[in-house]
């Protein structure tokens, strides 16, 4: 019985111990669900129709889910002071803008989901402060630019980076190469056209690399690929295997992809897009011997140039091959030339000397190189004395610039022979282009029996107005081929190559048979109706001619009528005049003095004039007046 009073005394003390649990009431935004019964706190607002990040968030939350809403931007104050947040999901909103420093207080954040939004770029300050971030999901946006320093704060901790389904044409490869802890890298469904060699060499923990559905024509070998086994599917693969996916790319199956073909793969997505002989074929079904490259062949080069000192000069060199050759220039002194204050090297093989000096003359060497070999050609440049200064009022015209990079000069016969000697195999072995019309040309070449094991011939050609090289594969027993897809009025460069099996290596190789240059005839233009401006101008000229002719006829008629009536107006009758004297001035010469006529009264205005000697002779009917 003594216990009952003791319990009654303790009952009033029980409520006093409960207030500390509810001393700080939690804040939960409307339309959201908040889990505040136990730590960590969670704020769940998926599909709540939110237009912005709710301002009444519990800043102690460790998880914040705002997916499937209509949030358009993330402001600096929206997530301020949320230092304990570990997971943030903003997926499938309409976010176009993230303020710089919007995540600056989220130093504990591990996962950030921004997929399914409308971001177009990611700058250097938008991810600042995420020093512990491990998962960054940016897929299904409209990203076209990624700043090189955007991932600096999380470069050492990031394990999962997803950039798929965006509009990325370029990436900061150097910045991606610093992600030493990344395990999964998603670059699929973008617009990437190339990957630099060694881009992934430092990603030692990379387990999956997805590059499907881009614009890659080749994948350069990387130390990472050669060190780890490559598999296409993660199922059943060892933990150390690298899963590489690259299907859906327009792969150019030449010798640069032999390294990938030699790997043991299980895949059914990849296919060759080019060259034409392999287009559409399953990548893993193409034999290694069919992954061939073609050595460069120089098709254009400048003839010998002579320019005065101080003028620019352009040296041109073009080559074809597979892969596309890279053209470099070597000076007469043996130095490799590039972009400098006095020279510019263009990707199309043109070297422009901005201001020539007397010491620049000599033989320049053009080197075209690719994975199959290289070809060289020589271009001679002569630098003469500077031209004499011209007077300010001189009417002479300046000569055209010898270094104009926009005009191509066809090589002369001498330069063609020099090019044949410089490029190794001669370019004139009987390849002829005959019967070329406006859109067709017949190509003929001699028999190549000295080359054993010829499998086919290949014709490569392109026009002067188009740098795209067109290929045609011809059976081995052919000696001619009719091209029917040419454009009228253009110059074409054409080369014939023999594809044969190299007995030394057992692989397929190519050898140039010869090259030729020809032009198609211009198309006949149909006669059409004259244009409106032409008709208008013709009518104006014709009308003006009629008016002028009418005026001339009118003047001629008046003159004739005036002559017929003897200088009298046409309305008055001409009366015979009496015989009188006609006087003409003789500049002071004295002649026989005629009998003067009775003097007529002179006007007062004529009396003041000086009297001159006049020679007078009679005139009358039948005599024409002399002088006016």
């Amino acid at each position: 019985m003594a216990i009952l009073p003791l319990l009654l005394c303790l009952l009033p003390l029980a409520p006093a111990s409960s207030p500390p649990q509810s001393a700080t009431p939690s804040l939960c935004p409307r339309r959201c669900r908040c889990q505040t019964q136990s730590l960590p706190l969670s704020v769940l607002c998926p599909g709540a129709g939110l237009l912005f990040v709710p301002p009444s968030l519990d800043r102690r939350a460790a998880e914040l889910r705002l997916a499937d809403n209509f949030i358009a931007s993330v402001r600096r104050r929206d997530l301020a002071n949320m230092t304990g947040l570990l997971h943030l999901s903003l997926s499938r909103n309409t976010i176009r803008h993230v303020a710089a420093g919007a995540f600056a207080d989220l130093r504990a954040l591990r996962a950030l989901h921004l997929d399914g939004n409308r971001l177009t770029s990611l700058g250097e300050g938008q991810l600042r402060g995420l020093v512990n971030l491990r998962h960054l999901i940016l897929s299904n946006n409209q990203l076209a630019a990624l700043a090189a320093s955007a991932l600096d704060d999380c470069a050492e901790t990031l394990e999962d980076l997803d950039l798929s389904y965006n509009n990325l044409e370029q990436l900061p490869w150097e910045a991606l190469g610093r992600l030493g802890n990344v395990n999964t890298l998603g670059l699929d469904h973008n617009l990437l056209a190339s990957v630099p060699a060694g881009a992934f060499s430092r990603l030692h923990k990379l387990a999956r690399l997805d590059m499907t559905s881009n614009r890659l024509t080749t994948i350069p070998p990387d130390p990472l690929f050669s060190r780890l086994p490559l598999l296409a599917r993660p199922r059943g693969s060892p933990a150390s295997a690298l899963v590489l996916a690259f299907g859906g790319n327009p792969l150019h199956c030449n010798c640069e992809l032999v390294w990938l073909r030699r790997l043991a793969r299980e895949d059914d997505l990849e296919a060759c897009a080019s060259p034409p002989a392999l287009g559409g074929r399953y990548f893993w079904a193409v034999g290694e011997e069919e992954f061939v490259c073609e050595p460069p062949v120089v098709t254009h080069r400048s003839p010998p140039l002579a320019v005065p000192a101080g003028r620019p000069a352009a040296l041109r060199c073009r080559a074809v091959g597979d892969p596309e050759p890279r053209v470099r220039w070597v000076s007469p002194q043996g130095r490799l030339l590039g972009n400098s204050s006095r020279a510019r090297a263009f990707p199309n093989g043109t070297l422009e000397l901005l201001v020539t000096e007397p010491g620049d003359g000599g033989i320049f060497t053009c080197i075209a190189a690719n994975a199959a070999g290289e070809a060289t050609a020589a271009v001679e440049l002569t630098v003469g004395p500077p031209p004499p200064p011209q007077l300010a009022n001189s009417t002479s015209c300046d000569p055209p610039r010898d270094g104009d990079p926009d005009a191509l000069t066809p090589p002369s016969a001498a330069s063609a022979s020099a090019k044949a000697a410089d490029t190794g195999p001669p370019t004139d072995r009987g390849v002829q282009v005959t019967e070329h019309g406006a859109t067709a040309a017949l190509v003929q070449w001699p028999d190549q029996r000295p080359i054993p094991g010829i499998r086919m011939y290949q014709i490569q050609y392109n026009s002067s107005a188009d740098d795209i090289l067109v290929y045609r594969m011809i059976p081995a027993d052919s000696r001619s081929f009719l091209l029917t897809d040419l454009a009228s009025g253009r110059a074409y460069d054409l080369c014939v190559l023999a594809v044969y099996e190299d007995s030394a290596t057992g692989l397929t190789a190519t050898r140039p048979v010869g090259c030729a240059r020809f032009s198609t005839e211009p198309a006949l233009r149909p006669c059409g109706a004259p244009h409106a401006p032409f008709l208008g101008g013709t009518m104006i000229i014709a009308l003006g001619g009629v008016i002028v002719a009418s005026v001339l006829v009118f003047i001629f008629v008046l003159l004739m009528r005036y002559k017929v009536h003897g200088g009298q107006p046409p309305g008055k009758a001409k009366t015979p005049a009496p015989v009188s004297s006609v006087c003409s001035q003789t500049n002071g010469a004295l002649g026989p003095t005629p009998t003067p006529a009775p003097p007529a009264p002179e006007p007062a205005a004529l009396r003041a004039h000086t009297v001159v000697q006049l020679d007078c002779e009679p005139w009358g009917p039948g005599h024409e007046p002399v002088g006016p």
Side-chain angles (χ1 to χ4, degrees), residues 595-601:
T595 303

Side-chain angles (χ1 to χ4, degrees), residues 197-336:
F200 312 108
S201 59
R202 292 180 288 175
L203 306 183
H204 303 291
K205 296 184 179 181
L206 188 63
R208 180 175 181 83
L209 175 60
D210 194 347
M211 294 188 295
T212 59
S213 299
N214 276 278
R215 297 178 178 178
L216 299 175
T217 58
T218 186
I219 301 174
D222 195 281
L224 180 69
F225 302 155
S226 60
R227 184 175 65 252
L228 298 176
L230 293 179
L231 297 174
R233 298 172 182 172
R235 181 179 300 174
S237 60
S240 60
L242 170 63
V243 179
L244 173 62
F246 59 91
N249 284 285
L251 296 177
H252 183 62
C253 296
N254 61 1
C255 63
E256 293 182 317
L257 287 180
V258 172
W259 70 272
L260 186 60
R261 176 61 183 84
R262 292 173 178 172
L263 299 176
R265 294 286 303 260
E266 298 176 1
D267 201 287
D268 56 356
L269 295 177
E270 292 84 358
C272 295
S274 58
L278 303 178
R281 293 181 57 182
Y282 175 49
F283 182 86
W284 305 107
V286 179
E288 292 184 24
E289 68 278 1
E290 298 183 73
F291 287 79
V292 297
C293 290
E294 299 173 1
V297 176
V298 177
T299 58
H300 291 273
R301 69 164 181 177
S302 297
L305 298 178
V307 297
R311 290 293 185 92
L315 311 180
R316 303 175 185 89
C317 180
R318 289 189 180 181
V320 296
D322 185 14
E324 184 177 356
R326 178 187 176 188
V327 177
R328 296 171 295 171
W329 287 90
V330 177
S331 69
Q333 294 77 24
R335 298 193 308 269
L336 188 64

Side-chain angles (χ1 to χ4, degrees), residues 229-456:
L230 293 179
L231 297 174
R233 298 172 182 172
R235 181 179 300 174
S237 60
S240 60
L242 170 63
V243 179
L244 173 62
F246 59 91
N249 284 285
L251 296 177
H252 183 62
C253 296
N254 61 1
C255 63
E256 293 182 317
L257 287 180
V258 172
W259 70 272
L260 186 60
R261 176 61 183 84
R262 292 173 178 172
L263 299 176
R265 294 286 303 260
E266 298 176 1
D267 201 287
D268 56 356
L269 295 177
E270 292 84 358
C272 295
S274 58
L278 303 178
R281 293 181 57 182
Y282 175 49
F283 182 86
W284 305 107
V286 179
E288 292 184 24
E289 68 278 1
E290 298 183 73
F291 287 79
V292 297
C293 290
E294 299 173 1
V297 176
V298 177
T299 58
H300 291 273
R301 69 164 181 177
S302 297
L305 298 178
V307 297
R311 290 293 185 92
L315 311 180
R316 303 175 185 89
C317 180
R318 289 189 180 181
V320 296
D322 185 14
E324 184 177 356
R326 178 187 176 188
V327 177
R328 296 171 295 171
W329 287 90
V330 177
S331 69
Q333 294 77 24
R335 298 193 308 269
L336 188 64
L337 299 176
N339 292 329
S340 64
S341 59
R342 295 187 56 243
R344 287 187 298 178
F346 295 91
N348 62 357
T350 299
L351 175 68
E352 183 177 7
L353 303 178
L354 302 179
V355 179
T356 56
E357 296 180 356
D360 292 337
I363 303 297
F364 287 78
T365 303
C366 160
I367 303 176
N370 65 4
E374 65 179 31
T376 61
V379 176
E380 182 179 0
L381 174 65
T382 303
V383 180
Q390 297 182 352
L391 299 178
N393 58 353
S394 174
T395 59
S396 63
C397 299
D398 293 334
R401 292 179 57 183
D402 298 289
D404 187 2
D406 296 331
L408 289 177
T409 305
S412 61
S415 64
S417 61
K419 177 177 68 174
D422 292 333
T423 55
T427 58
D428 185 10
R429 298 185 182 179
V431 175
Q432 298 180 355
V433 181
T434 59
E435 303 178 10
H436 44 82
T439 59
L442 180 64
V443 184
Q444 297 176 336
W445 59 91
D447 189 7
Q448 301 295 313
R449 291 181 181 178
I451 304 177
I454 294 182
R455 303 176 62 179
M456 66 186 72

Side-chain angles (χ1 to χ4, degrees), residues 466-489:
D466 191 355
D467 292 336
I468 299 177
L469 198 62
V470 182
Y471 296 85
R472 291 290 182 269
M473 307 304 295
I474 314 299
D477 56 350
S478 300
R479 299 295 176 268
S480 63
F481 185 76
L482 181 63
L483 302 175
T484 59
D485 57 348
L486 306 179
S488 59

